[in-house]
Amino acid sequence: MTRFGELDHYLFANATHYEIYKKMGAHLGKENGIEGVWFTVWAPNARSVSVIGEFNGWNENADVMKKTGDDGVYEIFVPKAKEGELYKYCIMSQKGELLYKADPYAFSAEMRPGTASKIADIETYQWKDSSWMGQREKNDPQKNPVAIYEVHPGSWKKHPCSDENPDGFYNYEYFAKTLTEYVRAMGYTHVELMGIAEYPYDGSWGYQVTGYYAPTSRFGTPAQFKYLVDYLHRNHIGVILDWVPAHFPKDAHGLADFDGSAVYEYADPRQGEHPDWGTKIFNYGRPEVKNFMLANALFWVEEYHIDGLRVDAVASLLYLDYGKKEGQWIPNKYGGNQNLEAVEFFKHLNSLVTGRNKGVMMIAEESTTWPKVTGDVHDGGLGFTFKWNMGWMHDFLDYMELDPYFRKYNHNKMTFSLTYAYSENYILVLSHDEVVHLKKSMLKKMPGDPAHKFKNLMAGYSFMIGHPGKKLLFMGQDFGQLREWSEQRELDWYLLREKSHEHLQAYFRDLMLVYKKYPALYANDTAEGFEWINADDSERSIYSFIRKSPTGKNNLLFVCNFTPVDRPDYRVGVPKGKQYRLILDSSDVRYGGESKDRKQIYRAVKRECDGREFSIGYNLPGFGVAIFRY
């Protein structure tokens, strides 16, 4: 009997075996009434393949696998193998070399520095998130609030190190409860988890994957990871995973030169290697490789109930010359630098994942001006749900790091993004990449004395929340982490014993509550949903604008002052002669300011300002932000 039949071969060869992980890898089963494990692996250029493990004393000759067809798929049933045991494939190359490879489709892996795969059953977990999953199918992410907390599980919080837990890692179950408590209290709608698919080197943060189908064993078992997702869902929190389809490392046990030849990567290093990263590039011109990653995306979404994939390094796949010098790359058949196979892969990927799973988000980390990243595939687009807005992020940080005196000469850095804000469906991101490698934490980027740093950051976060687009913030930046992030230590939570950090955290939490409460901030991220009141007040470095709800009710007026100069007589033009209710004031004593018992209702008067017939007067403090509802 063979598990991998004629239909499996056909679908695999056409990159349409979307649940191939149910056939490839290690699966508990029975043969002739005897319990054991089926092992199946693709090694198209191998001379021979055997499975070795704890069940056969790692004997290379004990369990030799058989070919199931002409495409290099090998399989075997091993009666003595059982769940929890370690294994690898021993592959003899055409040159006679013996290679010891982890299973590309393994559901679990040995704790690093070990490199073996582990037999695991992922089918027995009893999910309890049916309410969330049912609601997800009805959701339109474009019209819903999306405020993402980006978190690295290994360095969010840690236990004291011990012999039993030398790294101090939280396991998935403990992490679920503590993370959920924090995320709910802060008002985020989603978490984005870094470094979940198995990887060997902590310093890669999970971006050099060796186990694409295995939640990292650093934090527990596949069942425990399902519990984490389940628990977050039951507490109304979505889960996004970092997903790395662009490249993989050269580790001896991984995908590189899998059977002694280029299997998952291009054979020509001008196509198959990133010179700067020292990694291999997936060969998406090969159907079996494309199938491996298409099925992997579905695997996380459908087997682990993941709500979105943040697709890493999209630009590095789209451009054949990405990070390469002349002579290090090969043009496409038309002579251009576009990777046509990657373009087709992304279109297939996004159509497949979102077509089969309504409400799931596909998010591109794409740093160039490639057109229609979030456009419809039938109209030449790539089909992503959202794109990270890297242009906004760079301009925003450049402006925020300036001494306030010089901001008036750089006023357009905060307005330019509105000229392209609706060309894609954007997420505004302040991610982990911006607080490492001597870039400083968000708070440390701010100019001025300590008090001014906190006020600057409050103003910056307010502008971000008011700007069209969904939101993402990396862990620690909502309470003013001082040190740069390091994967080797937990965040500096002790800072919350200081009032200034507590005030910043409280302000950001209240910003999140405003964001989720008012559809004007999330349901209308289009040109119809935003209007400048005054985009040109460069001399005073003040920005005022309105966000409009789809119904016209509960529109919001933002006024943001980016200098330390108080404006006690500040007047702002308003669209209608109505009353305006102050709903958030960054100078409130709750946030470390000096305002208390401030007037809440401001009646517009017929007095021209900012080209408007009506206006309101307001005492605007230095670095002050006021959000009004009307």
Side-chain angles (χ1 to χ4, degrees), residues 124-174:
T124 56
Y125 183 85
Q126 299 297 309
W127 290 92
K128 302 179 181 67
D129 65 347
S130 58
S131 176
W132 172 273
M133 297 296 283
Q135 185 60 44
R136 188 178 79 181
E137 290 184 7
K138 304 172 187 175
N139 286 345
D140 177 1
Q142 310 290 352
K143 304 297 183 184
N144 285 351
V146 177
I148 303 167
Y149 186 59
E150 186 188 29
V151 59
H152 179 265
S155 59
W156 185 66
K157 287 184 179 180
K158 287 178 178 261
H159 296 297
C161 296
S162 64
D163 291 340
E164 294 77 25
N165 187 1
D167 298 295
F169 292 146
Y170 283 13
N171 67 33
Y172 290 121
E173 292 182 346
Y174 191 82

Side-chain angles (χ1 to χ4, degrees), residues 270-548:
R270 291 175 297 173
Q271 296 172 293
E273 294 196 19
H274 277 299
D276 291 343
W277 298 343
T279 53
K280 299 280 192 177
I281 300 171
F282 279 107
N283 177 3
Y284 286 117
R286 193 165 195 171
E288 298 89 348
V289 175
K290 185 163 66 172
N291 201 148
F292 175 75
M293 290 305 288
L294 290 173
N296 186 249
L298 287 175
F299 170 79
W300 291 110
V301 170
E302 297 179 357
E303 295 293 328
Y304 282 92
H305 293 196
I306 296 302
D307 304 295
L309 298 176
R310 177 266 192 187
V311 183
D312 181 61
V314 169
S316 73
L317 262 183
L318 291 176
Y319 297 95
L320 296 167
D321 58 348
Y322 185 90
K324 296 179 179 181
K325 299 174 183 176
E326 189 174 347
Q328 292 183 326
W329 63 284
I330 300 175
N332 64 33
K333 62 184 179 181
Y334 302 114
N337 68 341
Q338 299 87 4
N339 185 337
L340 303 178
E341 292 160 351
V343 171
E344 194 280 330
F345 167 74
F346 283 130
K347 291 180 177 181
H348 192 160
L349 167 74
N350 293 322
S351 300
L352 176 66
V353 174
T354 59
R356 283 176 48 141
N357 301 276
K358 303 299 182 185
V360 166
M361 298 178 285
M362 297 297 291
I363 303 166
E365 188 232 352
E366 204 285 314
S367 54
T368 75
T369 55
W370 188 282
K372 298 183 179 180
V373 172
T374 58
D376 193 307
V377 296
H378 300 298
D379 188 35
L382 296 182
F384 283 96
T385 317
F386 295 110
K387 172 181 171 173
W388 274 23
N389 196 334
M390 312 290 275
W392 171 85
M393 178 267 295
H394 286 299
D395 288 345
F396 174 81
L397 291 179
D398 284 349
Y399 181 87
M400 293 305 301
E401 291 184 65
L402 288 170
D403 183 295
Y405 177 81
F406 296 104
R407 287 177 176 167
K408 60 187 174 184
Y409 305 114
N410 293 270
H411 197 73
N412 69 320
K413 286 189 180 295
M414 297 288 265
T415 60
F416 178 67
S417 58
L418 270 302
T419 65
Y420 63 84
Y422 319 114
S423 60
E424 302 276 8
N425 300 321
Y426 282 117
I427 297 179
L428 308 185
V429 294
L430 295 172
S431 74
H432 66 276
D433 279 328
E434 309 317 313
V435 293
V436 291
H437 302 323
L438 303 180
K439 294 180 184 177
K440 298 181 286 189
S441 69
M442 285 300 301
L443 187 65
K444 283 285 190 176
K445 292 178 194 288
M446 300 299 109
D449 61 32
H452 280 181
K453 287 182 183 293
F454 283 96
K455 291 179 180 179
N456 260 296
L457 196 51
M458 287 181 187
Y461 285 157
S462 304
F463 188 89
M464 176 185 183
I465 296 303
H467 191 290
K470 310 305 184 185
K471 323 298 175 187
L472 178 145
L473 187 68
F474 184 56
M475 64 181 195
Q477 309 315 306
D478 53 8
F479 65 78
Q481 171 83 8
L482 289 171
R483 294 190 290 178
E484 286 188 332
W485 171 61
S486 168
E487 81 283 351
Q488 297 177 349
R489 61 173 183 257
E490 73 170 16
L491 297 178
D492 295 331
W493 295 99
Y494 63 84
L495 292 172
L496 284 168
R497 294 196 290 265
E498 299 180 16
K499 283 294 183 183
S500 53
H501 294 271
E502 183 185 338
H503 289 148
L504 174 62
Q505 185 189 49
Y507 184 71
F508 192 84
R509 178 198 64 221
D510 288 352
L511 273 176
M512 287 287 93
L513 297 178
V514 168
Y515 173 72
K516 289 198 302 182
K517 181 176 180 179
Y518 293 101
L521 293 175
Y522 61 77
N524 206 8
D525 282 329
T526 65
E528 292 73 36
F530 179 92
E531 184 180 345
W532 285 112
I533 295 292
N534 193 338
D536 302 317
D537 193 355
S538 57
E539 191 61 33
R540 296 187 293 183
S541 298
I542 297 174
Y543 302 84
S544 52
F545 56 88
I546 54 178
R547 292 299 306 274
K548 305 174 187 177

Side-chain angles (χ1 to χ4, degrees), residues 102-119:
D103 186 348
Y105 290 88
F107 295 144
S108 185
E110 183 181 12
M111 177 67 168
R112 57 102 173 95
T115 58
S117 300
K118 183 182 288 189
I119 301 168

Side-chain angles (χ1 to χ4, degrees), residues 105-279:
Y105 290 88
F107 295 144
S108 185
E110 183 181 12
M111 177 67 168
R112 57 102 173 95
T115 58
S117 300
K118 183 182 288 189
I119 301 168
D121 179 9
I122 65 166
E123 298 178 4
T124 56
Y125 183 85
Q126 299 297 309
W127 290 92
K128 302 179 181 67
D129 65 347
S130 58
S131 176
W132 172 273
M133 297 296 283
Q135 185 60 44
R136 188 178 79 181
E137 290 184 7
K138 304 172 187 175
N139 286 345
D140 177 1
Q142 310 290 352
K143 304 297 183 184
N144 285 351
V146 177
I148 303 167
Y149 186 59
E150 186 188 29
V151 59
H152 179 265
S155 59
W156 185 66
K157 287 184 179 180
K158 287 178 178 261
H159 296 297
C161 296
S162 64
D163 291 340
E164 294 77 25
N165 187 1
D167 298 295
F169 292 146
Y170 283 13
N171 67 33
Y172 290 121
E173 292 182 346
Y174 191 82
F175 181 58
K177 293 167 183 173
T178 54
L179 178 66
T180 296
E181 182 181 0
Y182 185 79
V183 169
R184 286 196 67 176
M186 289 299 294
Y188 296 99
T189 64
H190 293 73
V191 296
E192 182 175 306
L193 303 177
M194 296 169 59
I196 294 301
E198 190 61 81
Y199 58 103
Y201 175 50
D202 288 14
S204 78
W205 310 334
Y207 290 108
Q208 296 200 3
V209 178
T210 51
Y212 274 87
Y213 287 81
T216 179
S217 57
R218 287 167 176 79
F219 316 123
T221 66
Q224 289 175 314
F225 181 64
K226 286 189 174 184
Y227 177 88
L228 166 62
V229 177
D230 201 5
Y231 192 86
L232 285 161
H233 281 175
R234 285 183 280 133
N235 283 276
H236 314 291
I237 300 164
V239 184
I240 300 166
L241 289 193
D242 257 331
W243 190 63
V244 191
H247 64 122
F248 55 89
K250 297 179 180 179
D251 294 67
H253 69 288
L255 299 178
D257 299 311
F258 187 72
D259 60 9
S261 67
V263 175
Y264 288 90
E265 68 271 43
Y266 292 95
D268 190 324
R270 291 175 297 173
Q271 296 172 293
E273 294 196 19
H274 277 299
D276 291 343
W277 298 343
T279 53

Side-chain angles (χ1 to χ4, degrees), residues 31-45:
E31 177 74 348
N32 298 324
I34 300 173
E35 293 186 348
V37 175
W38 282 97
F39 295 93
T40 310
V41 66
W42 178 55
N45 298 309

